[in-house]
């Protein structure tokens, strides 16, 4: 038998069911883990600007040397070069040039020369001259003292470039393949005394004018020792070609060198009894006094008063100079 209380409770529940409700309390929806903001989708420290990707003073590449005279590590470098100091005297120096891959700060032009063979010799601070475009520095190394050459023979030197800067202020790159350590290293050889002697003639004397012959049978002589000749060649078609004579010595074969200011082709023939070719070599001269002497022609004149014909050309040059020397 149901009690009154039980009947009343059932009636109440029936009314609630008719209203669409049940006995459970409302539960607010909970956000799904899949719809929540994920730490993986938030800005990540790994995606933020990283100190390792920012410009780094240590990673900025400075200007690099892409060419030099002498070249890096070169040996047998000529230690003395000559130039015309004034109308009656010559001077000596050594020229070094450095070419960079980017324009440089032309207000900074000091380099330091270090004698690695004799460390007791103090380093020398030298000031170079920049080209107009700021890419090439020319350094003239003078005598350290009035009675000493610019550079000693057979000596290892280093030219330190630490004071040079690019236009943005960066030092010379010390890892570039050109110089490696950012310094120019080279070793001198012996002086070239014979070319120095010829340079004195070419720099200070006025050339003796000679017009070469257009005929291969009659031609003027150009065979005086220590003479500085200015030769003019006759026209031959669209180029120039001419002949001169050299008479050899009486008693012995003589090495002969013509110190030329241009690479003029020259053929040598012994015409004493016939038309015999004499071996000769045209080659670049050592750079003792460029551009006064740029090339040498070498041959041996056979002894016995032999008559040699020199054929100059064909060449595009009508005039040139040379110093004639017998040894």
């Amino acid at each position: 038998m149901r009690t009154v209380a039980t009947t009343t409770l059932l009636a109440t529940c029936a009314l609630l069911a008719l209203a669409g409700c049940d006995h459970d309390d409302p539960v607010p929806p909970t956000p799904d883990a899949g719809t929540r903001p994920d730490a993986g989708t938030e800005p990540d420290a790994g995606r933020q600007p990283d100190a390792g990707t920012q410009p780094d003073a240590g990673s900025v590449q400075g200007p690099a040397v892409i060419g030099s005279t002498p070249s890096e590590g070169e040996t047998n470098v000529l230690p003395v070069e000559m130039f015309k100091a004034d109308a009656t005297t010559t001077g000596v120096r050594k020229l070094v040039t450095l070419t960079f891959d980017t324009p440089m700060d032309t207000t900074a032009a000091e380099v330091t020369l270090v004698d690695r063979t004799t460390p007791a010799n103090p380093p020398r601070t030298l000031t170079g001259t920049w080209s107009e475009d700021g890419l090439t520095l020319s350094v003239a190394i003078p005598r350290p003292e009035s009675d000493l050459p610019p550079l000693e023979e057979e000596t290892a030197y280093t030219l330190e470039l630490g004071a040079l800067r690019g236009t943005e202020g960066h030092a010379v790159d010390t890892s570039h393949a050109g110089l490696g350590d950012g310094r120019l290293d080279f070793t001198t050889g012996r002086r070239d005394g014979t070319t120095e002697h010829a340079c004195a003639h070419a720099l200070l004397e006025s050339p003796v004018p000679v017009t070469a012959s257009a005929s291969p049978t009659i031609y003027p002589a150009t065979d005086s020792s220590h003479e500085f000749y200015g030769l003019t060649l006759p026209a031959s078609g669209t180029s120039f070609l001419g002949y001169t004579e050299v008479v050899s010595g009486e008693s012995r074969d003589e090495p002969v060198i013509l110190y030329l200011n241009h690479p003029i082709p020259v053929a040598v023939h012994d015409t004493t009894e016939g038309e015999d070719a004499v071996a000769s070599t045209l080659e670049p001269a050592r750079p003792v006094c460029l551009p006064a002497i740029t090339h040498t022609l070498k041959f041996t004149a056979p002894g016995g008063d032999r008559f040699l014909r020199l054929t100059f050309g064909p060449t595009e040059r009508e005039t040139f100079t040379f110093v004639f020397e017998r040894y």
Side-chain angles (χ1 to χ4, degrees):
M1 172 182 290
R2 297 176 178 170
T3 64
V4 175
T6 299
T7 301
T8 302
L9 178 59
L10 291 173
T12 302
C13 287
L15 290 174
L16 290 172
L18 290 174
C21 299
D22 58 26
H23 66 282
D24 295 323
D25 292 330
V27 178
T30 57
D32 189 348
T35 63
R36 290 180 179 179
D38 189 347
T41 64
E42 295 298 309
D44 191 333
R47 298 185 181 183
Q48 298 301 313
D50 191 315
T53 63
Q54 297 302 308
D56 182 14
S59 65
V60 175
Q61 185 176 19
V65 176
I66 57 174
S68 65
T69 304
S71 59
E72 169 67 5
E74 185 175 344
T75 59
N76 198 32
V77 174
L78 193 68
V80 174
E81 297 168 5
M82 298 176 64
F83 64 98
K84 186 175 182 177
D86 54 47
T88 59
T89 60
T90 59
V92 295
R93 65 189 174 192
K94 177 62 185 178
L95 289 176
V96 174
T97 61
L98 301 154
T99 300
F100 293 82
D101 64 346
T102 187
M104 301 291 286
D105 178 1
T106 57
T107 64
E110 286 191 347
V111 295
T112 302
L113 182 68
V114 177
D115 183 339
R116 290 185 286 117
T117 297
T118 311
N121 289 336
R124 300 166 61 187
T125 299
L126 308 167
T127 301
T129 301
W130 286 104
S131 58
E132 289 187 6
D133 59 10
L135 292 175
T136 300
L137 181 69
S138 299
V139 182
I141 303 173
R143 295 178 182 269
E145 298 179 19
S146 60
D147 59 341
L148 295 177
L151 297 177
E152 295 293 341
E153 296 178 307
E154 300 177 332
T155 300
Y157 289 97
T158 290
L159 198 66
E160 296 183 346
L161 314 179
L164 303 182
R165 294 288 184 272
T167 53
E168 296 183 354
H170 302 307
V172 175
D173 183 10
T174 59
S175 62
H176 191 269
L179 296 187
D181 58 1
R183 298 183 291 182
L184 176 63
D185 301 309
F186 60 92
T187 302
T188 58
R190 305 288 294 177
R191 293 176 67 163
D192 189 337
T194 56
T195 304
E196 287 181 25
H197 175 85
C199 284
H201 292 295
L203 291 172
L204 298 181
E205 297 175 6
S206 297
V208 175
V210 175
T211 299
S213 174
S215 169
T217 58
I218 302 174
Y219 25 77
T222 54
D223 59 356
S224 296
S225 295
H226 314 301
E227 194 69 88
F228 181 42
Y229 290 102
L231 195 64
T232 300
L233 300 180
S236 177
T238 59
S239 59
F240 298 91
L241 183 145
Y243 307 92
T244 70
E245 183 179 67
V246 171
V247 179
S248 69
E250 296 181 8
S251 59
R252 64 177 181 87
D253 294 353
E254 294 178 323
V256 172
I257 302 180
L258 275 63
Y259 295 89
L260 298 139
N261 71 334
H262 288 284
I264 306 298
V266 185
V268 184
H269 289 85
D270 185 342
T271 61
T272 309
E273 287 96 15
E275 187 83 10
D276 300 321
V278 176
S280 63
T281 303
L282 178 67
E283 59 189 12
R286 299 200 73 189
V288 177
C289 59
L290 297 174
I293 293 175
T294 64
H295 288 76
T296 59
L297 176 82
K298 299 179 180 180
F299 64 91
T300 298
D305 287 328
R306 309 294 293 183
F307 296 94
L308 308 180
R309 184 185 67 221
L310 275 57
T311 304
F312 295 90
T315 174
E316 296 179 352
R317 298 198 65 85
E318 181 180 10
T319 62
F320 57 93
T321 63
F322 64 88
V323 177
F324 185 92
E325 293 288 358
R326 302 172 187 257
Y327 298 97

